[in-house]
Amino acid sequence: MGNNAQELADSNFLIIWPKASASIGVTLASFLKQHRRTRTASLTIIYHPTHRDTGTLSRETEFAFYSGNNAPTGKVFRRESYTPILTPIIDGILTLLFLAKTGRRHHMCVTAGLNLGILVVLLRALGVVKKTTFVVMDYWPQRYPSGILSWLYRHVYSLCSTNVDFVLDVSPTINDARIQDGIFVNSEKLLYAPHPIDPITIGHLPQEEL
């Protein structure tokens, strides 16, 4: 445990996450903000709005950079209404600009969502990040009435799941659904962690941890 804690303290950690009030990415970011960092280590957090934010006043991209024990720096950008294809492209451009500003290569990147998953696969190929974790909140290709969209969803999902170092499922049933669609994730890189607000998990926590 001590070695793991030291590795984390020495790491440049990157979180690129779809903005949400409660999720694994937000919980992880909160933990890492408080975790000890050595002088050369860093934590970079980028939140992008999701398509579910359409019509709200909170469509913003947030960027925060924690370097060693220095005070964090960051920016908040108001964003356009969600537009398919265009908005994910803008997400990618803003992410690249923010990462260029940090001047770091990151040891680990954690993300979720197909558009951000594709972006992280690209960052890994470019050498901007060394290791990647793709968090899977759900797997539901049947959500689309169009057979073409369902086919595209499965293939993009397969790309994200098979070109990262770790896949973290929030439900044990997700992998069975993937397998049924012919998407096989190497068991050595498959992880499971319940959603932080999963009622089953919360029901077993001590009162002081709720």
Side-chain angles (χ1 to χ4, degrees):
M1 178 65 70
N3 289 338
N4 291 338
Q6 185 59 49
E7 288 180 7
L8 186 58
D10 291 334
S11 295
N12 296 327
F13 207 103
L14 170 63
I15 299 174
I16 306 175
W17 202 258
K19 193 174 181 181
S21 59
S23 64
I24 285 178
V26 175
T27 303
L28 177 61
S30 178
F31 167 76
L32 291 175
K33 288 177 187 177
Q34 306 301 321
H35 196 278
R36 180 179 67 87
R37 281 182 297 277
T38 59
R39 182 176 58 83
T40 59
S42 67
L43 168 64
T44 304
I45 304 170
I46 301 173
Y47 292 132
H48 289 300
T50 71
H51 67 279
R52 298 183 182 90
D53 298 325
T54 300
T56 72
L57 298 177
S58 60
R59 285 193 57 79
E60 298 173 336
T61 284
E62 300 180 26
F63 166 69
F65 180 60
Y66 298 76
S67 178
N69 294 316
N70 298 323
T73 59
K75 290 184 179 295
V76 176
F77 287 88
R78 293 294 299 272
R79 292 291 301 275
E80 74 292 342
S81 297
Y82 180 82
T83 303
I85 300 178
L86 177 61
T87 293
I89 290 174
I90 295 176
D91 290 347
I93 292 172
L94 289 175
T95 297
L96 291 174
L97 290 174
F98 292 151
L99 294 182
K101 185 178 178 64
T102 69
R104 304 288 179 105
R105 291 185 181 273
H106 304 272
H107 298 103
M108 172 60 77
C109 177
V110 176
T111 194
L114 293 184
N115 61 314
L116 299 183
I118 293 173
L119 175 61
V120 167
V121 169
L122 174 62
L123 294 176
R124 182 173 178 262
L126 294 174
V128 177
V129 297
K130 183 176 180 181
K131 298 286 186 180
T132 53
T133 298
F134 181 54
V135 179
V136 182
M137 300 293 190
D138 62 18
Y139 176 72
W140 187 25
Q142 292 78 17
R143 74 181 72 191
Y144 300 107
S146 167
I148 294 176
L149 289 179
S150 294
W151 177 89
L152 182 62
Y153 175 94
R154 288 193 297 270
H155 281 74
V156 173
Y157 186 96
S158 178
L159 172 69
C160 294
S161 300
T162 57
N163 288 277
V164 293
D165 296 283
F166 302 101
V167 174
L168 191 154
D169 292 339
V170 301
S171 169
T173 62
I174 290 176
N175 193 46
D176 291 337
R178 272 195 303 255
I179 292 173
Q180 290 178 6
D181 278 341
I183 301 173
F184 300 95
V185 176
N186 189 322
S187 60
E188 294 182 356
K189 69 177 187 179
L190 184 60
L191 307 172
Y192 166 65
H195 194 284
I197 60 171
D198 188 322
I200 297 176
T201 303
I202 289 179
H204 290 83
L205 288 176
Q207 183 64 36
E208 61 271 16
E209 294 185 24
L210 293 176

